[in-house]
Amino acid sequence: MEEHTMGYKTYKIQKGGAGTFYPFVFNDIMGIEKDTNGGVRVDDINLAMKGHIKDGYNFNPRIKISEDDRSYNRTPTLNDRAHVLVCVVSTSTVNILSDESVRKMREVRLAARDLGIPQLAILTKIDEACPEVKKDVKNVYKSKYLKEKMEELNVSLGLPLNCIFPVKSYHSEIDTDDDIDTLISSAMKNIIHYGEDFVNSL
């Protein structure tokens, strides 16, 4: 998982006017690191998936959250729980994921499976990893290199290939791009679809 966030952050997507949002949120979590005592703890991720961790909590890589912590939610509702688990991995790091990182990620996946939570992966920075895609993002599914990276992720995490979505992030672009948006939209639609399936199955 990519390391960007130090805490547990909830994001809403605005719909139309101010104060109106789409009926789902994204919870961003501190990344997993290769060191045994680095990054977010697996047991904290498990508690977050069950809805026990409140927005804004800062993770401590050495100690899991206490039930006495003000950010611990003792009585989570369905809205507090995770409806889908999304693992975000940079294309450039797939082949160098440490055994410890893979172990942690698989452990989280198994915990999600036991909770009935569907799991997906997003493969980012595909343009930086593949010259063909950098030239034209429409080449994403023609690229043998990206296919290999998706297969590597499939093997290391045990995720089906149809649950791994390559995405090019916006970084230097000024205007929106239909081809970039198509990949992002495909990943988003599947995340929402799997999340809805999870809720409907309860």
Side-chain angles (χ1 to χ4, degrees):
M1 293 183 182
E2 291 191 318
E3 177 78 38
H4 290 297
T5 308
M6 292 303 293
Y8 193 55
K9 178 69 177 172
T10 299
Y11 294 94
K12 297 178 180 180
I13 299 179
Q14 189 168 314
K15 178 183 181 181
T20 305
F21 301 94
Y22 283 96
F24 56 85
V25 298
F26 291 96
N27 290 315
D28 192 15
I29 201 166
M30 178 183 182
I32 286 177
E33 292 184 355
K34 63 182 180 180
D35 297 330
T36 303
N37 294 320
V40 65
R41 296 173 59 89
V42 170
D43 42 12
D44 275 339
I45 297 178
N46 294 345
L47 287 171
M49 289 192 294
K50 293 176 182 178
H52 287 296
I53 297 182
K54 297 179 182 178
D55 180 36
Y57 175 69
N58 286 318
F59 294 100
N60 184 336
R62 300 180 184 279
I63 306 170
K64 83 170 188 175
I65 188 172
S66 162
E67 291 187 14
D68 297 324
D69 194 292
R70 69 172 69 178
S71 290
Y72 187 88
N73 182 6
R74 291 176 177 270
T75 54
T77 65
L78 177 59
N79 285 342
D80 297 319
R81 293 164 56 189
H83 298 164
V84 59
L85 174 69
V86 181
C87 176
V88 181
V89 182
S90 170
T91 307
S92 60
T93 63
V94 171
N95 63 332
I96 57 171
L97 285 173
S98 69
D99 291 342
E100 183 63 20
S101 292
V102 171
R103 182 193 68 76
K104 288 180 178 180
M105 293 162 81
R106 288 183 72 95
E107 202 173 321
V108 170
R109 269 209 63 230
L110 292 174
R113 181 203 64 187
D114 291 344
L115 293 169
I117 299 171
Q119 307 111 50
L120 309 174
I122 290 180
L123 201 58
T124 64
K125 301 181 181 178
I126 56 174
D127 55 316
E128 294 179 22
C130 178
E132 292 177 63
V133 175
K134 189 168 187 176
K135 188 185 218 178
D136 187 347
V137 75
K138 289 195 290 289
N139 290 327
V140 58
Y141 288 109
K142 298 177 185 177
S143 168
K144 291 181 180 179
Y145 178 81
L146 286 182
K147 184 181 178 184
E148 288 174 4
K149 293 300 163 189
M150 292 171 70
E151 288 172 347
E152 286 176 22
L153 201 57
N154 159 252
V155 171
S156 61
L157 297 186
L159 282 168
L161 285 172
N162 64 354
C163 290
I164 301 172
F165 299 92
V167 167
K168 178 188 183 310
S169 304
Y170 280 101
H171 44 85
S172 61
E173 294 81 5
I174 297 173
D175 299 315
T176 57
D177 181 287
D178 288 344
D179 295 327
I180 296 175
D181 289 347
T182 296
L183 293 177
I184 295 172
S185 177
S186 173
M188 285 283 293
K189 285 178 181 176
N190 278 278
I191 290 170
I192 293 168
H193 172 73
Y194 278 100
E196 286 179 338
D197 281 352
F198 170 76
V199 172
N200 292 335
S201 70
L202 298 177

